[in-house]
DNA sequence: TGGGCACCATTACAATCGGATATGGATGCC
DNA sequence: GGCATCCATATCCGATTGTAATGGTGCCCA
């Protein structure tokens, strides 16, 4: 009596599933990129090893037996499990050899993010990274739509379908031209800036609104001399003596030199950036590694 | 760049699991009844197909990588799933699983068939049986129309679309009240029953016709005092002294007690029951096993 | 320090597996 | 009857997968 030998073959199971799903061995062969005899023999082998007939050969067709249908349910579960293995393997493989697509606002991309990525690449020699500079909604959409693996964006973020992990946080500083009367202050408030020529950026953004409010609260006149879009430009204007730039502390540092002084602005307006990923997709392993790397890299 | 080929092999997974569990490839080989080089090569193949290193070869030992440990969890789940397949296959092989719908005439269902089924259930723990009591044409139709898997019916059967396997056979006996003048006979013929009060059943059925013929042949007067429908009732009447019942030997036995005597009736009128299945449908495995069980159970 | 031991990798070779192509039989459809 | 479809079998061939033999390396211990 032939007992099941337990030497079950994955390919046979795949054949079996395909035959049940598609109704014929020839169709199964097409799906599996095999020839019909190959499928036929696989099936024979499987029947041999399980020890009972899976199909009745009836009028040249394969009719599943009752047992086959019971068997099928379990086989499908197992094959799904094998599928998970494959996907996991791919993920793990990609952690060392994969590609990572990242999107970030230009401000981050040009400064601290590029050095974080450099450090990551040194530790993961075979990973290649694509860094896309996009700001605002575009970046969020790219992550949510999985056009990229992960991204960075400024908080607050209102977007369903994203997971946001706060990562970097910094206050607000004034870039004051050297020799300016405020250059020696420990901190500068909106009141101190009454009627001072200012260089501001991010009109309409939340941090900008907070600055506006601070001036309103202090009943200071806000004299905006230059509206610009990047911290680098703002600092450059400040260096040129065109006024005091109120900028994120995080980015101002890299532009600070002897011609300007960075003085803390009061009230403390926080600039926070988060690591963002799509909600309904587990991160690829590279992305996970990258996230962990960033956590370490940016920790205070 | 070597991408995972997804042609993952169960044996490789088994090797991998064993290596992690036991800590060395040689130990794994022992467990799997393989040689160490075989395991070594399986491992190599698996690494090839997943696309990353599973073990660091360090000082002649295999040290699992971080990825390997993550991979291991998933592999274990998959292997357990495969194990379930094997067990299910074994169960199906032993027909230890499933449902069986049976139809039989009430006479069988109440007596010997129920004990046969009980015995079958004891041997096949996960089988559930539905037994439907129907007689005559209804039962045959139910089998032919595949409303049930199999059934029992009295021969002769005239029904296309059925396979009949004779299973149980018995003669005819007279149930004679104790103390009756015929109670001590070795056998009783139609002649002996001339003008005796009789209890008969199955009017119009073939066995009844044979009895009628026997009386006609013997030129005996058939004095039918009671017509009834079940052997149990017939025997009860006999016990009450209402007359001699002429019944199937097969069923009379269970009703025999000290108040009646069973005496063989001559000529020998056979009562035969067959196991019946639909012609154009191979029996389910459980049904086959049940048939084999019945063959053994009812063999003379 | 050198020998024994445990472990892993590699090689060489044999058996088997697992594909492909070619062919044949049965069935159903026009 | 001719044709298409489907399954099974035969034969062939390369890939896979097992084995035994061998070699290298690190560890333990006298």
């Amino acid at each position: 009596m032939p007992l099941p030998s337990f030497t079950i073959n994955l390919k046979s199971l795949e054949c079996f599933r395909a035959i049940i799903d598609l109704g014929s061995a020839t169709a199964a062969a097409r799906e599996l990129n095999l020839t019909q005899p190959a499928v036929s023999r696989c099936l024979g082998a499987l029947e041999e090893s399980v020890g009972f007939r899976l199909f009745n050969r009836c009028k040249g067709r394969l009719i599943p037996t009752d047992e086959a249908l019971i068997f099928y349910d379990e086989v499908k579960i197992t094959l799904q499990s094998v599928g998970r293995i494959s996907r996991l393997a791919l993920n793990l493989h990609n952690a060392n050899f994969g590609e990572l697509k990242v999107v970030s606002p230009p401000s981050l991309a040009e400064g601290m993010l590029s050095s974080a990525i450099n450090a990551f690449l040194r530790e993961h020699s075979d990973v290649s990274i694509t860094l896309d500079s996009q700001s605002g909604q575009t970046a969020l959409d790219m992550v949510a739509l999985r056009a990229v693996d992960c991204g960075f964006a400024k908080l607050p973020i209102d977007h369903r379908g994203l997971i946001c992990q706060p990562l970097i946080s910094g206050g607000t500083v004034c870039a004051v031209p050297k020799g300016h009367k405020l250059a020696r202050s420990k901190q500068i408030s909106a009141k101190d800036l009454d009627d001072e020529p200012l260089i501001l950026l991010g009109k309409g953004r939340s941090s900008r609104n907070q600055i506006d409010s601070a001036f309103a609260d202090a009943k200071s006149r806000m004299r905006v001399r230059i509206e610009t879009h990047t911290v680098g430009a703002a600092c450059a204007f400040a260096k040129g003596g065109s006024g005091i730039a109120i900028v994120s502390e995080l980015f101002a540092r890299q532009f600070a030199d002897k011609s300007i002084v960075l003085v803390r602005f009061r009230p403390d307006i926080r600039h926070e950036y988060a690591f963002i990923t799509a909600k309904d997709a587990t991160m690829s392993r590279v992305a996970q590694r990258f996230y962990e790397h960033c956590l370490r890299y940016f920790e205070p």
Side-chain angles (χ1 to χ4, degrees), chain A:
Chain A
M1 187 159 99
L3 273 168
S5 61
F6 299 111
T7 58
I8 288 181
N9 191 310
L10 276 187
K11 200 155 293 181
S12 297
L13 294 182
E14 197 68 65
C15 283
F16 171 69
R17 181 203 57 77
I19 295 177
I20 297 259
D21 282 345
L22 302 174
S24 90
T26 7
R30 267 194 302 277
E31 184 185 89
L32 301 173
N33 289 318
L34 290 176
T35 56
Q36 169 264 317
V39 171
S40 199
R41 207 164 56 173
C42 263
L43 178 59
L46 184 60
E47 286 185 329
E48 171 87 13
S49 77
V50 298
F52 56 90
R53 271 209 143 349
L54 291 165
F55 293 89
N56 291 315
R57 278 69 170 171
C58 188
K59 303 177 194 256
R61 300 300 162 108
L62 295 175
I63 313 292
T65 61
D66 295 350
E67 292 81 13
L69 295 177
I70 296 173
F71 195 56
Y72 172 75
D73 291 335
E74 194 70 35
V75 166
K76 238 180 17 184
I77 291 172
T78 299
L79 289 178
Q80 279 167 7
S81 180
V82 174
R84 275 201 307 278
I85 280 200
S86 295
R87 266 178 285 124
L88 177 63
L90 187 57
N91 242 332
L92 294 172
H93 167 84
N94 283 340
N96 289 321
F97 303 97
E99 291 185 14
L100 184 63
K101 293 189 180 166
V102 184
V103 65
S104 93
S107 46
L108 270 180
E110 287 157 15
M112 57 187 67
L113 184 55
S114 61
S115 37
I117 288 178
N118 278 332
F120 185 73
L121 289 179
R122 275 193 294 276
E123 291 173 16
H124 301 265
S125 53
D126 289 315
V127 170
S128 71
I129 290 191
T130 306
L131 174 60
D132 204 337
S133 283
Q134 299 285 345
S135 47
Q137 197 60 29
T138 311
L140 300 182
D141 288 341
M142 286 176 72
V143 175
L145 296 173
R146 311 208 63 199
V148 292
D149 298 291
C150 59
F152 296 83
K154 192 166 187 183
L155 290 172
I157 291 170
D158 176 30
H159 194 301
R160 270 184 294 281
L162 289 181
I163 298 174
C164 303
Q165 324 243 34
L167 202 60
I168 322 172
S169 172
T172 299
V173 294
C174 298
V176 186
K178 197 149 200 165
H180 189 284
K181 59 177 174 178
L182 289 172
R184 293 177 184 274
S185 308
K186 284 285 181 213
Q187 58 181 51
I188 297 177
S189 68
K191 182 125 206 112
D192 302 325
L193 294 172
D194 184 37
D195 211 33
E196 276 286 336
L198 297 177
I199 302 146
L200 294 183
L201 56 160
K203 193 162 192 170
R205 310 276 311 261
S206 109
S207 54
R208 171 62 179 272
N209 293 342
Q210 290 179 262
I211 294 175
D212 294 348
S213 303
F215 274 77
D217 292 347
K219 299 196 166 50
S220 286
R221 181 183 171 230
M222 184 186 261
R223 188 171 148 210
V224 183
R225 197 143 181 227
I226 300 174
E227 284 279 359
T228 182
H229 296 285
T230 74
V231 172
C235 289
F237 285 124
K239 287 174 192 172
S242 299
I244 293 178
I246 307 180
V247 295
S248 160
E249 167 196 12
L250 293 167
F251 306 123
R253 280 200 202 119
Q254 61 182 307
F255 300 111
D257 62 16
K258 51 189 189 260
S259 59
I260 53 172
V261 180
L262 302 182
V263 184
R264 184 160 301 284
F265 179 77
R266 288 294 160 186
D268 184 33
I269 295 168
R270 305 302 295 174
H271 297 262
E272 286 187 294
Y273 287 81
F275 185 89
I276 57 176
T277 52
K279 188 178 234 161
D280 297 319
T282 51
M283 262 191 281
S284 80
R285 191 158 168 81
V286 210
Q288 274 177 42
R289 287 280 182 95
F290 183 61
Y291 172 58
E292 291 156 12
H293 169 83
C294 288
L295 268 185
R296 282 194 306 277
Y297 193 86
F298 292 124
E299 77 186 352

